[in-house]
C-alpha cells in the first residue's frame, strides 16, 4: 500500500538564512537583561578586555622590574658609597682634612697625592654627564676653580666598589648641589677645567645639600663674554644685569664675580695696611645722626623714637671731632647714604666709604701726598698680589691695563679747564668753559682722555678748585680767595675722591655758612666741634665700589656692589 503524501511542506531555500540567523542570536552573548548583544557592543567589550589584559601584563612587568631593582639594591655592593647625607651632620669629627682645589694648581700636584691616601673634597656640582652606562664625568667647583671627577663602575671583587646604581646616582645630582666626595688624585690632561693637570677618581659621593628648584640661569650662562654674543651664529640668551641682581646669590658664584669681590676686599686691606703704617687709627662713627652733615636734599630721614634722625651722608663731622680730640690721624671704612635720585652707571644710594682725616703741620699738600701714596699702594698691591683675579675678570670685561706714573700728575684745576677749552669742550648749556665752572661728567671723561693722551696715565689729581663750587667748610686759598685748598682724584676720567682742607676756626666757619646761605644755628653741633680748639686739618672720602669699577673697567658700579641699593632697587 502506497504511503500517503506528507501534509507538511518541505522547507524552501529562502528559509535557511532565517534558521541560521536564529541560531546566531541564540549563541550571542547576552546583556544584563538577557538580550543578545549587538555586534558593535560585542566589539567594544572585546577591546576593553584586550586593553585590560595589556594593562595587567604591563603591571606585571613593572612589578617584576621593581622586584628586580629591589633585589639589585639589596645586593648593591656600593650602597654605602653614595646617597644623601642626613640633615644633622655635626655629630662627630673625623679629623680628616678637606682638599682645596688651589693645592692642585701646581703642574706636579698629582704626585703629592698617592693612591694609598684618598682625599676628601666638599664642592658644588658644576655639571654632570654620563658616558655610557658605566662611566660619568662630574665637574666639581670650589669658588673660582673647577676639577674633573670621574665615576667608573668597578671590576668585580674591587674593594672600592662603584656600582651601576652609583653611576646613575652621580649623573642625577642636580647642578649647584653641594657634595662630599672621596677619591684619589690622578694625573690627567683636562682642558675643560681650571685644574688641568689632574682629576679625581671618585670612590664615594654623597650630597650634603641638593638644589630643589629650577635655576634662574647657570654659572656658565652668566660667565659668557660680549664676544660670545657677537658671533653671527650665536644662540646664547644674554643674562642681563637686572636678572643677575634679582638672583644675586646665583650670580655671585661665577668665577668673575668671585674675583671682583676678592679685589674689593683687597682694596680695603691695602687701604688699612698703608694708613696703619703711616700712624693712622681706625674709627667707627655712628650712622644715625640728628642733622644732615652735607646737603639736606640728599639725606634719608628715618623715625627715631618720638623724633626723627638721618642716615649719615659721610663720617666727616665725626672725623673732624676726632682731630679736635687730638687723635691726629684717623680713617674709617663704613656705609655712606645718599638720597639722590641718580640712576646712572656710577651712583648708588648706599655705598662703602673709605674716609680719612689728618692734622696738618704746615701745608695741606701733606694730606695730598698721603692720599697719593695710599692710591699708589693700592694700585701696586692689586697688580702684584691679585693679578690672577684681574686676569679672570678680564675674560668677561676685557680692558686696557690700568696705568699710573711713578710721580703722580698734579694738575691745577685751571690747567685742566685750559686743556678742555683747547680741545673744544663746552658747558652742558653750550656756553664757553671758564675757570669758575664745575666739570660735568662728560667733561670729566673728556679731560681723562686728554690726560691719558698727553701724559700716559689713567690716574691723576686736580688741585685748587674754585671756592664757589666747593662746600662751605672748604678752606680758601691764602693768596687767591677765589680758589680753595681742595682737590679731586680721578681714575679713567671719573672722580673717585673729593677732599679739602677744612675750616677749623669757628668764627670763620660761621662767616662761610652765612655767605653760602646756611643758617649757622641749623648746624650748631658741627660748629661746637671747633669751639674747644681744633688743629688745621684736611681729608677726603673715597667710594670703594667706584674704585673697583674703574680699576677693572666694569662699566657699571652695580657690578662692584655686593647687593646694590639705588633709587629702584632695595632687594635682595
Amino acid at each position: 500500500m502506497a504511503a500517503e503524501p506528507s501534509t507538511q511542506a518541505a522547507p524552501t531555500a529562502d528559509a535557511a538564512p532565517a534558521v541560521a540567523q536564529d541560531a546566531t542570536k541564540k549563541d550571542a552573548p547576552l546583556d544584563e537583561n538577557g538580550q543578545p548583544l549587538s555586534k558593535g557592543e560585542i566589539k567594544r567589550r572585546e577591546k576593553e578586555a584586550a586593553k585590560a589584559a595589556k594593562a595587567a601584563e604591563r603591571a606585571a612587568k613593572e612589578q617584576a622590574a621593581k622586584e628586580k631593582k629591589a633585589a639589585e639594591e639589596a645586593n648593591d655592593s656600593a650602597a654605602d658609597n653614595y646617597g644623601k647625607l642626613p640633615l644633622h651632620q655635626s655629630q662627630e669629627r673625623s679629623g680628616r682634612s678637606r682638599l682645596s682645589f688651589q693645592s692642585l694648581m701646581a703642574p706636579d700636584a698629582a704626585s703629592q697625592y698617592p693612591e694609598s691616601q684618598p682625599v676628601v673634597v666638599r664642592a658644588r656640582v658644576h655639571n654632570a654627564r654620563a658616558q655610557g652606562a658605566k662611566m660619568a664625568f662630574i665637574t666639581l667647583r670650589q669658588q673660582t676653580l673647577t676639577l674633573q671627577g670621574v665615576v667608573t663602575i668597578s671590576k668585580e671583587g674591587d674593594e672600592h666598589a662603584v656600582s651601576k646604581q652609583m653611576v646613575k646616582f652621580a649623573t642625577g645630582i642636580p647642578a649647584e648641589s653641594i657634595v662630599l666626595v672621596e677619591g684619589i688624585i690622578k694625573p690627567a690632561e683636562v682642558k675643560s677645567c681650571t685644574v688641568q693637570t689632574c682629576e679625581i677618581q671618585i670612590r664615594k659621593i654623597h650630597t650634603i645639600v641638593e638644589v630643589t628648584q629650577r635655576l634662574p640661569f647657570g654659572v656658565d650662562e652668566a660667565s659668557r663674554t660680549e664676544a660670545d654674543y657677537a658671533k653671527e651664529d650665536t644662540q646664547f640668551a644674554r643674562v642681563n644685569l637686572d636678572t643677575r641682581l634679582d638672583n644675586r646669590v646665583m650670580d655671585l658664584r661665577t668665577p668673575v664675580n668671585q674675583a671682583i669681590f676678592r679685589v674689593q676686599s683687597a682694596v680695603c686691606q691695602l687701604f688699612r695696611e698703608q694708613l696703619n703704617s703711616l700712624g693712622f687709627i681706625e674709627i667707627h662713627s655712628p650712622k644715625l645722626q640728628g642733622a644732615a652733615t652735607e646737603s639736606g636734599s640728599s639725606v634719608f630721614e628715618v623715625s627715631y623714637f618720638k623724633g626723627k634722625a638721618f642716615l649719615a651722608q659721610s663720617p666727616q663731622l665725626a672725623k673732624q671731632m676726632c682731630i679736635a680730640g687730638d687723635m691726629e690721624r684717623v680713617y674709617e671704612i663704613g656705609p655712606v647714604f645718599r638720597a639722590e635720585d641718580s640712576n646712572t652707571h656710577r651712583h648708588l644710594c648706599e655705598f662703602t666709604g673709605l674716609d680719612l682725616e689728618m692734622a696738618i703741620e704746615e701745608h695741606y699738600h701733606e694730606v695730598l701726598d698721603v692720599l697719593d701714596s695710599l692710591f699708589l699702594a693700592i694700585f701696586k698691591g692689586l697688580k702684584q698680589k691679585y693679578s690672577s683675579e684681574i686676569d679672570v675678570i678680564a675674560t668677561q670685561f676685557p680692558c686696557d691695563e690700568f696705568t699710573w706714573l711713578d710721580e703722580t700728575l698734579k694738575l691745577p684745576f685751571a690747567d685742566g679747564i685750559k686743556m678742555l677749552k683747547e680741545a673744544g669742550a663746552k658747558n652742558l648749556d653750550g656756553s664757553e668753559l671758564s675757570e669758575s665752572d664745575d666739570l660735568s661728567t662728560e667733561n670729566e671723561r673728556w679731560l681723562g682722555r686728554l690726560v691719558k693722551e698727553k701724559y700716559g696715565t689713567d690716574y691723576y689729581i686736580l688741585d685748587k678748585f674754585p671756592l664757589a663750587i666747593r662746600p662751605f667748610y672748604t678752606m680758601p686759598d691764602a693768596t687767591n680767595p677765589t680758589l680753595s685748598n681742595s682737590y679731586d682724584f680721578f681714575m679713567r676720567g671719573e672722580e673717585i675722591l673729593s677732599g679739602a682742607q677744612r675750616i677749623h676756626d669757628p668764627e670763620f666757619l660761621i662767616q662761610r655758612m652765612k655767605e653760602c646761605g646756611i643758617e649757622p644755628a641749623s648746624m650748631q653741633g658741627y660748629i661746637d666741634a671747633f669751639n674747644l680748639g681744633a688743629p688745621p686739618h684736611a681729608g677726603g672720602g673715597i667710594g670703594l665700589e667706584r674704585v673697583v669699577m674703574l680699576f677693572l673697567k666694569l662699566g657699571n658700579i652695580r657690578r662692584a656692589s655686593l647687593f646694590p641699593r639705588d633709587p629702584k632697587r632695595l632687594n635682595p
Side-chain angles (χ1 to χ4, degrees), residues 327-340:
M327 296 181 77
E328 291 290 316
R329 293 185 168 198
V330 298
Y331 71 85
E332 178 171 6
I333 300 176
V336 177
F337 302 91
R338 300 287 170 87
E340 298 171 350

Side-chain angles (χ1 to χ4, degrees), residues 178-436:
I178 302 174
V179 294
L180 189 67
V181 168
E182 181 180 310
I184 57 174
I185 300 298
K186 285 193 171 183
E189 184 178 345
V190 185
K191 295 183 179 180
S192 60
C193 294
T194 53
V195 178
Q196 299 189 338
T197 60
C198 54
E199 65 185 15
I200 181 168
Q201 295 281 339
I202 297 174
R203 292 176 173 176
K204 296 181 181 180
I205 182 167
H206 292 85
T207 57
I208 299 174
V209 176
E210 293 184 9
V211 172
T212 58
Q213 68 178 49
R214 186 174 180 271
L215 299 177
F217 49 80
V219 169
D220 286 337
E221 291 176 283
S223 301
R224 294 193 181 109
T225 67
E226 286 299 317
D228 292 327
Y229 299 119
K231 296 175 182 177
E232 292 184 3
D233 60 344
T234 185
Q235 297 180 350
F236 296 140
R238 186 188 299 272
V239 183
N240 62 46
L241 184 57
D242 279 340
T243 302
R244 291 172 179 270
L245 297 180
D246 289 341
N247 301 277
R248 192 58 157 160
V249 169
M250 192 70 204
D251 189 41
L252 290 175
R253 295 177 187 175
T254 67
V256 167
N257 276 324
Q258 290 283 317
I260 286 174
F261 290 101
R262 277 167 173 71
V263 170
Q264 186 190 84
S265 174
V267 172
C268 293
Q269 292 175 36
L270 294 165
F271 177 85
R272 281 192 172 97
E273 289 171 4
Q274 177 66 10
L275 293 183
N276 287 344
S277 73
L278 296 174
F280 282 74
I281 63 171
E282 185 171 4
I283 61 172
H284 304 283
S285 64
K287 302 312 167 196
L288 283 171
Q289 299 184 336
T293 53
E294 294 187 10
S295 168
S297 62
S298 62
V299 67
F300 285 109
E301 182 179 321
V302 298
S303 62
Y304 193 74
F305 297 100
K306 294 182 179 181
K308 61 183 179 180
F310 303 93
L311 295 180
Q313 298 155 292
S314 82
Q316 182 174 316
L317 176 57
K319 291 189 301 176
Q320 291 185 264
M321 290 172 72
C322 288
I323 300 302
D326 288 346
M327 296 181 77
E328 291 290 316
R329 293 185 168 198
V330 298
Y331 71 85
E332 178 171 6
I333 300 176
V336 177
F337 302 91
R338 300 287 170 87
E340 298 171 350
D341 193 9
S342 298
N343 295 283
T344 73
H345 76 285
R346 65 176 189 170
H347 286 96
L348 292 170
C349 292
E350 179 184 349
F351 61 90
T352 302
L354 309 178
D355 285 85
L356 65 83
E357 203 79 18
M358 60 179 277
I360 297 170
E361 297 295 338
E362 297 179 320
H363 197 286
Y364 80 96
H365 276 186
E366 297 166 20
V367 185
L368 206 69
D369 292 341
V370 166
L371 288 167
D372 183 36
S373 72
L374 171 62
F375 276 106
L376 293 179
I378 290 172
F379 300 153
K380 292 174 183 176
L382 291 178
K383 187 173 182 179
Q384 292 170 1
K385 300 177 183 178
Y386 295 87
S387 59
S388 60
E389 283 83 358
I390 293 170
D391 290 342
V392 169
I393 295 164
T395 62
Q396 193 164 16
F397 298 101
C399 67
D400 297 331
E401 186 177 0
F402 187 83
T403 60
W404 61 91
L405 303 174
D406 291 335
E407 184 175 347
T408 301
L409 172 67
K410 298 179 179 67
L411 193 67
F413 181 83
D415 289 354
I417 293 293
K418 182 179 179 182
M419 289 176 65
L420 284 168
K421 289 175 68 175
E422 290 175 350
K426 296 184 182 298
N427 288 314
L428 290 175
D429 60 5
S431 61
E432 293 293 326
L433 283 174
S434 73
E435 294 180 5
S436 62

